[in-house]
């Protein structure tokens, strides 16, 4: 089956974005694994999380989300605290060190994307921006503006 130009262009752009994301992960791979980074990004973008919400983001059973979270606690990147609405539950929150790691990754992504955009004229930048936002909306999600990538797979 022959691809149309729009699909080929989207796949080419996705390839660039995946390389940008991969490079930002390589910058911290000596500190955290990819699933751990996803947890940090989730907490950074959405606020304190329960083990259940982390498990849902990782698409694993809650018992399988406990281990990477525990390693993040031991590394001083997140802390456990009682849930403000129900003290029977625990919430996971970023420490200053965890927030700094996320900020570093997002900064790396922004810098890499800025280097690509610098190759475009202001008019081309505006067109690409509009196209990316329309694409994200057409996919059923609001575009994020903070450099995070959502990995949850939706049918």
């Amino acid at each position: 089956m022959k691809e149309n130009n729009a699909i080929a262009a989207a796949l080419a752009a996705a390839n660039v974005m995946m390389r940008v994301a991969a490079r930002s992960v390589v910058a911290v791979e000596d500190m955290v694994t990819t699933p751990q980074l996803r947890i940090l990004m989730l907490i950074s973008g959405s606020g304190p999380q329960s083990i259940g919400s982390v498990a849902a983001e990782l698409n694993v059973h809650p018992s399988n989300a406990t281990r990477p979270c525990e390693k993040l606690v031991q590394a001083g990147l997140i802390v456990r605290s009682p849930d403000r609405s129900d003290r029977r539950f625990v919430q996971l929150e970023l420490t200053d060190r965890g927030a700094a790691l996320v900020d570093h990754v997002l900064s790396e992504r922004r810098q890499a994307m800025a280097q690509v955009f610098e190759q475009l004229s202001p008019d081309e930048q505006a067109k690409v921006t509009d196209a990316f936002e329309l694409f994200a909306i057409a996919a059923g999600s609001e575009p994020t503006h903070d450099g995070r990538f959502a990995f949850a797979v939706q049918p």
Side-chain angles (χ1 to χ4, degrees), residues 96-111:
D96 289 344
R97 189 166 166 237
L101 188 140
V102 169
D103 288 345
H104 175 75
V105 169
L106 296 178
S107 176
E108 291 284 321
R109 290 180 183 174
R110 283 186 193 93
Q111 287 175 341

Side-chain angles (χ1 to χ4, degrees), residues 6-7 9-11 14 17 128-141 143:
I7 292 171
L11 291 174
M17 290 180 208
V128 170
T129 300
D130 290 345
F132 283 160
E133 287 181 348
L134 286 171
F135 186 83
I137 292 167
S141 64

